[in-house]
Amino acid sequence: MPHPLGGRGSLVKSRATASKHSEDQPPEIYMNQPVHHDASSSFQDGARNLELGPATSPISRQGNKWRDLALKELNKAQPFSVRKSGVDRLTANLRAFSSDDLVIICEAADDLFAEGVVPEVRELGFTLLMTCANHAGLGLEDRSKFFQWIVVSIEPVGMDRQLQALVAITKHGRKLEPFATPLAGYLAATMEPLYKATVEARKKAKGSHQDVKAQIPERRGLYILFDLITNILNTNPRAIRGKELNSIIRVTLEILRVTPSPREMRGALSIITAAIPASGIPQGYLEQCIHLLCAISEGVEGLQDMARSTLSDLLCSKQQEETLVLLKDTIFSQVHGPESRPAKGAITMFVYLTRNDEGDKTPKISFSQLEAILLRVRNGVANGTRNCLRLIAQLLDSPELVSYLFQSDRWLRLMAALGHIVNDNTDAAAQNRELLYHPSAVLFFTPYETNIPDTSGVSQTTKEDLKDVTTAIGLLWPRLDIIQREAVAGLYYYLRHILSAESERLLVSYILETRMVHPQSGDKWKRHLSQLLSKFILEAQADDEIRCTILQELTSMVSYLKSGQQEMLYFRTAVISMLDGIKIGKEHDLNVINALANFIVTYAQAVDVCDFKYLLDVLLRMLYDTNSDKSLISPFNSFQDGVIANTISIELVRLFMRCSTVSAEKTALIFPALVEVATSRGLPSCMRLPALRLLTRMRCDIHHAIYTTPDADSLGLAAAVARTEATTARLSIYNSQGYRSSLNDEPASIRTGRASTASYSRPTGSRASTQSASRNEADSRVHPPQWMYPGLPGLPEEPPKGPSQLVYLFTRGENENTTLRLGDWLTEVIGMLQGDSEDWEIYSYVLVHLPSQLSNPTLFSGAVPVIKMLRNVIAEQLLNKSFREPPPNTGVKKGDVAFCLFSSLVMLLGYAEHFSRGEQDDTVRIILDGISFWDRCAKVCIQGLSICCHEMPMAVNKSLSAILQKLSQMITQSHLTMDILEFLAGLARLPIVYHNLIEHELRMIFAVCVRYLENARDQQTKRQNGSTTETFQLSNRMSGASGDSGSASDSSNVIDIMRDLPQYFYALAYHVLTIWFLSLRLIDRPSHVGWITKNLASKDSHGNDILEEQSQVALDMMHRTAYSNLGETMAPGNDFPSSEGRILKKSWLLGLSIVTVETAAGTGFTRLVKRQASGTTHSIYQQQTALLPPHHVDAATDPMRPAHESVSDDNFFPNHVFLQLISTIAPTPSPMEPICLPDDEATRRAIAAFDRNDTVDGYKVGVIYVGHNQSEEAQILANTKGSDAFDRLLEGLGTKVGLKNAIFNTQGLDKQLDADGTHTYAWRDRITEIVFHVPTMMPTDLDTDPICINKKRHIGNDFVNIIFNDSGLPFKFDTFPSQFNYVNIVITPEVSFPSPERLSSGENNQQLTDSSATRTSPSSSPSTKHSYFTIQTQSHPSFPQISPTASPKLLTLQHLPGLARQIALHASVFSNVWANRDGGEHVSSWRNRLREIKKLRARFANSATSASDRYPGAKGSKTYVEGDTFSGSVVMGGLAEDEGILAGLDFSRWAGPNPPS
């Protein structure tokens, strides 16, 4: 399709046509139709040669040719595309044209830039003009023509190319001749319509979603115009003046005011900046200009610096004074709101001027001028007030200005001005300012105490600004000097009703630091204290941190004020007024409650009893008021970081502990309050628990002095109710790790070794009887426990060391009003145990901690009836199974509750003498019932029976048959093995308990031992075969129940325990069997030999009966004791009478014994020694030879003897005696033949080595006395004597024996030089011997041995020590560091219950009320008839429980030594097993002796005698056949029938029964 202006090939038209078009208007298409061409031709294309040379260049020679071509292409008749090509060609070859050529060409093409043409054509025309304007050869006339063509019209659309042409003709505003004046008018007229067109184009582009920045040519034109005007003002300052400048400034300011474009703002700002030095801002527009500049400097990002620079230029110009005035007016202007940008910008500008450098031309504002600005504020000028505050805030925000303000008195004047800003009374403000920063301002608050500003009319936003300013001032506090701080404090106090919390804290801190509320500060301290309390404490809206600070200061003031002085009286008045006015129920900050309670507790210690009662009432009121606010009740109970809801209960506890050292009367007042809090069901458990913790930790020494123990020692029982981390994790009660980490609030018992171990066990399976039939708690939601082991300390602070010197537990008398009635507390405990609705947290806590408190009978020495009531309640609940059932969500079973109740009942056994015979019988029956009914209670019940054997022997005697029957039924439960065997071992040494047992009952005891022997053999076989060892349940509440909180819970230690327990059971079962056989009446022993012998045998791998080594020595023991009760024999004197002739001696191996015959050859007087495994028998043989008749003639025995030799006097040989005693003419089978031992040195050495083996198992046990307040090893070992009770204990443990030339094994004690003392104590029966190492009986020389090394070498090597702890302090397991100390049996003296006679006579009261008497050792009481002691076993962490006293037990002195010795014996047995676990099993003395005999048989046997020791069925054993009557195998040095060895071993078959008694 041909172009509307002609075909593309018609490059040359006829002259006529061209002429026609030159005379007429441009074609219509130029006016109203778009022309499609490349509109992207840029200004740069036409301006490649901006400074082209004149037309005289070589190219100009062809000038006419280029001009003609240009005229042809730009002819008005040419199509638009051709004309555009012509413009492009001209642009590219501009140097080929002269200025005249260009004028001719532009005249010919003037239709392109005529007014009214379409934008595309107009753009092409101005492109042509722009190109020509860049020609360097234009003269003034030419430039004028081109200028006229360029400014021919003002059409904003497409004006960008027009303005580019104008830039080119003015050389970027530098060359304005000869059109300067019209140019200014054109620019002034162009600016406003161009901006309006830009706005409209921007709106259209925004509506069409075009790229606004790239598609608006009007905006490009506006930018060019800004740059051109700026350049003209900079290079030709006088070119734009008068009304043109006013117009340009007016439009520029309007653009600044309304445009959203930062770039447009930047261009407008450049015009303002350029106009300032040129002609200045016109007067009518200066204020608006300053406002806009301030606004931009404050709020337009990226232009702040430019706007501030422009303001600086104004301040450096001739308009400086006017600018300053307008800046000040801007701050206080009511037109601009306080939030306006102009005001903020003005403030910032003033800050800049204040810190202006000296070298800058910008004027510097002096502080006086700044102060004058601040003081311009008047009443009601809200905007000015706020802006002044912001001005001050900015000043304080600049480090340079702050340093400037610190100089001279500027800071004080600034504070005065700040106070003035918000003061309604100008005169008062001036007076305040003068007083404020005057050096004599030590009066401090004087100017403000009477002129508190009225802030009722101050807006809230202004108050917020004031808070910001005062807070900023507070940040500079560390840099202020004393005077400046006084000024700030004065200002703060002046504005105290509108201060920020940070400023209030600073003010209060200053008041307290300067001790203005202390009497030392002068008379005004009272007023300051009163105002401080009324302002901050009584106002609930006051900052809580400040209130806490003030309360802490009040707490510290208590120690400075002395009772009775005037200051204390006023302080009392102020405090009571504060406490009466404070509304506890409306307090919601726990820190404030905590600080207030802490103050009351501290102050209560300094007041008299009357005020103390008032303060105690306040605390209780706080407690119950706080309880009404459920938001303050925390479900947790922690003493660690943070504040806790039960803080008031904690403070009551703290008050009790502190008063116990200063006032008995105050302590007596607090005690019932604590009982009330602990037992009040109206309070949540988290508030009751702190009081409960204290009450369960209360103890009393032997003198009835009260003290608080930090450790409840209840870890084992806590495991029973799932209150240890280990049991909680195993039961999977709490799924959240966050719960578990927050539960460590209950103290871990500070275990000394294994002291806190409880006797709790749980079998692998649970019986149906132990399952809960129903649940009282319907709520199955999971709640985190409020107390847990282990955890942080259970008391808020360490309790006082040692018993109180003032507070005693009186039983009756004149001082009963100060008595701590522990019976009331125990009564409440009974109520909690009986209450079905009691909170489980409280109920479980009482269950766990009651036994530990009952172990201190002194505490309840005046409450025997309540103790009996407690026993009755627990017994009834256990008997009827009527105790509380635990909630289902706890994972605790009813049997666990029973376990805790049984623990309390067992502890009550120590009070047995106060129970009637019927109550004792009932107690034993209930404990017996618990063994089988509650699987989880079996262990503690069996241990309880062990205590009953000592404390209630007659009651146990009545039920002994049932007990044995029950135990025989429990032998299948391996976790009870140790307890049953230890019970039977202890019972065997109490004839008063078992004296009426009959044969089948005794047979049950032997059956139990045999069953455990079989089990131990099975375990050993499995271990040897690599099978998994059966698990002996130490506890199924596992580590917690057994008290394992340390290494014992490690898997390696558990494996060691499991490995070695069967060995201990094995040794203990044989021990029980042996001791019970020896306990039988002599007449009854033979009847049990056959049954025991039969059951001692075991089977080998071939199914044959065998008798293991331990069984052999047991059989040997029965062989020696079945028909004799005489025990050990001794050798007669060493010398035979000289008349006996020579002495002949010979030894034989006879079976498993060594028989030695020593005979006087002349008379036949013989000494016989039979050495067996279980002992050595010495006897005398004397053949009673009849007198020969007179007619008797001696036969010649040696006819060949020469006559001169005398006849020998040898009439007897040892062989004769041996044959007479053991042989007949009946044939003796070879295996049965005795072996005659050669009389040589080797044999003598072998027999001597045998004799060095004791006939009993010997053990060594330390018995150590710990004196009052002693805790160090050297102190303890240095003791040279103990208390009376300690001496009584020693007398009960054993017999005092001399060491000099002792004939028994002294277990390392010196026998020759008395190096270890002259005497010791020892105990021995038929099978065991204990030698006690007693340091108090050993020599002590502190000069040569200050740390008692000689004593330590014995004590440090003893596996077991009995510790008599008379120190009044807990005994720590590691007090005597040693790798050999495995077990400590700790005995602690308790109370001597006063007899009824002493109670009635008041003797006890007289003794206890004499608090000034010197305190002696607790166990040195003159009467020990009713003395009580707790006994507890501390074990090495790797040990299992090995005694019934793993948890504390209570005993009287008369029964204490027997139980202590029994526990020491069992512990010694296990320790020997444990010590030899790496090197093999522990071998007893009897087994060593047996092995010595077997060594001799192996050494001297020969093939003919077949004397080797072989077992039937074993590989290599030989069968012996004697005719048709006997066939069998060689066994134990004898012959056994083919049917087995059992019949042959029962010597009672042929020895016959004992004769009847």
Side-chain angles (χ1 to χ4, degrees), residues 1405-1468:
N1405 289 329
Q1406 180 64 35
Q1407 176 188 353
L1408 297 176
T1409 55
D1410 184 11
S1411 60
S1412 62
T1414 302
R1415 184 184 299 274
T1416 59
S1417 295
S1419 59
S1420 300
S1421 175
S1423 173
T1424 55
K1425 178 179 179 180
H1426 300 279
S1427 293
Y1428 278 73
F1429 298 81
T1430 53
I1431 180 171
Q1432 182 178 18
T1433 302
Q1434 296 178 347
S1435 300
H1436 190 275
S1438 58
F1439 265 42
Q1441 303 172 36
I1442 56 173
S1443 82
T1445 58
S1447 58
K1449 298 296 185 296
L1450 189 65
L1451 269 82
T1452 54
L1453 180 59
Q1454 66 184 100
H1455 303 123
L1456 178 66
L1459 180 62
R1461 184 177 58 246
Q1462 171 190 330
I1463 295 170
L1465 178 58
H1466 296 162
S1468 297

Side-chain angles (χ1 to χ4, degrees), residues 1261-1264 1286 1290 1316 1320-1321 1332-1338 1355:
V1261 174
V1263 184
I1264 305 169
F1286 177 71
L1290 287 175
D1316 298 316
T1320 191
Y1321 281 87
F1332 297 103
H1333 292 168
V1334 187
T1336 56
M1337 302 179 71
M1338 298 179 185
I1355 298 301

Side-chain angles (χ1 to χ4, degrees), residues 233-533:
L233 289 173
N234 287 331
T235 58
N236 297 280
R238 302 182 63 83
I240 304 177
R241 304 177 66 184
K243 62 181 181 179
E244 289 81 6
L245 179 63
N246 287 352
S247 177
I248 290 174
I249 295 300
R250 176 183 62 80
V251 176
T252 301
L253 293 178
E254 183 65 17
I255 293 174
L256 282 175
R257 187 180 69 84
V258 299
T259 183
S261 170
R263 185 171 179 182
E264 292 173 8
M265 285 187 182
R266 186 180 298 278
L269 280 175
S270 64
I271 293 176
I272 299 296
T273 303
I276 292 172
S279 301
I281 303 299
Q283 191 64 34
Y285 301 106
L286 181 58
E287 181 177 2
Q288 182 185 5
C289 179
I290 290 174
H291 289 169
L292 288 171
L293 290 175
C294 289
I296 295 173
S297 70
E298 186 63 27
V300 181
E301 185 176 357
L303 297 177
Q304 293 98 325
D305 292 340
M306 187 174 182
R308 291 167 189 164
S309 176
T310 303
L311 280 171
S312 298
D313 291 343
L314 272 173
L315 290 169
C316 295
S317 69
K318 298 176 181 179
Q319 296 176 298
Q320 179 186 109
E321 294 298 329
E322 298 170 89
T323 303
L324 282 173
V325 171
L326 290 172
L327 281 174
K328 296 176 185 178
D329 292 340
T330 303
I331 295 178
F332 298 101
S333 173
Q334 296 300 299
V335 176
H336 304 286
E339 298 295 333
S340 68
R341 291 178 179 175
K344 294 181 180 179
I347 292 172
T348 304
M349 198 63 202
F350 268 110
V351 173
Y352 168 74
L353 295 175
T354 305
R355 63 183 174 185
N356 184 26
D357 297 333
E358 296 294 336
D360 197 332
K361 295 181 180 180
T362 306
K364 182 176 179 63
I365 301 298
S366 68
F367 185 81
S368 298
Q369 292 174 301
L370 184 66
E371 184 181 31
I373 294 173
L374 298 177
L375 294 177
R376 282 186 57 187
V377 179
R378 291 294 183 268
N379 299 341
V381 187
N383 295 348
T385 299
R386 295 201 61 198
N387 290 330
C388 283
L389 292 175
R390 290 177 177 175
L391 173 58
I392 295 175
Q394 290 202 30
L395 291 174
L396 297 174
D397 191 48
S398 169
E400 308 94 70
L401 286 180
V402 167
S403 299
Y404 171 75
L405 293 174
F406 283 163
Q407 299 172 12
S408 184
D409 61 350
R410 296 186 186 110
W411 180 263
L412 303 181
R413 291 159 61 187
L414 179 64
M415 295 299 102
L418 185 56
H420 163 74
I421 288 174
V422 290
N423 194 338
D424 286 339
N425 190 321
T426 306
D427 296 334
Q431 178 186 7
N432 289 338
R433 183 183 74 248
E434 185 68 24
L435 288 172
L436 176 66
Y437 63 77
H438 195 274
S440 62
V442 293
L443 298 174
F444 189 41
F445 291 145
T446 302
Y448 301 114
E449 290 170 355
T450 57
N451 295 291
I452 299 175
D454 180 11
T455 58
S456 59
V458 180
S459 67
Q460 184 60 35
T461 53
T462 301
K463 291 180 181 180
E464 292 299 323
D465 288 337
L466 267 173
K467 289 183 180 180
D468 293 341
V469 170
T470 53
T471 301
I473 293 173
L475 296 177
L476 301 173
W477 183 266
R479 300 175 58 183
L480 302 180
D481 59 27
I482 296 177
I483 300 298
Q484 291 169 339
R485 288 187 178 185
E486 287 179 354
V488 172
L491 175 69
Y492 277 3
Y493 195 82
Y494 181 50
L495 303 175
R496 60 186 178 274
H497 295 290
I498 54 177
L499 287 178
S500 65
E502 293 82 359
S503 301
E504 285 183 338
R505 283 193 286 271
L506 198 60
L507 172 61
V508 171
S509 176
Y510 182 81
I511 295 173
L512 301 181
E513 286 178 2
T514 55
R515 307 180 68 81
M516 299 185 63
V517 293
H518 284 257
Q520 299 93 319
S521 64
D523 296 336
K524 296 182 181 179
W525 77 275
K526 299 178 182 178
R527 180 170 53 180
H528 293 156
L529 177 62
S530 176
Q531 292 177 350
L532 205 60
L533 297 182

Side-chain angles (χ1 to χ4, degrees), residues 567-579:
E567 292 82 358
M568 188 61 164
L569 295 177
Y570 180 82
F571 184 79
R572 173 185 178 276
T573 302
V575 168
I576 292 177
S577 176
M578 176 190 72
L579 294 178

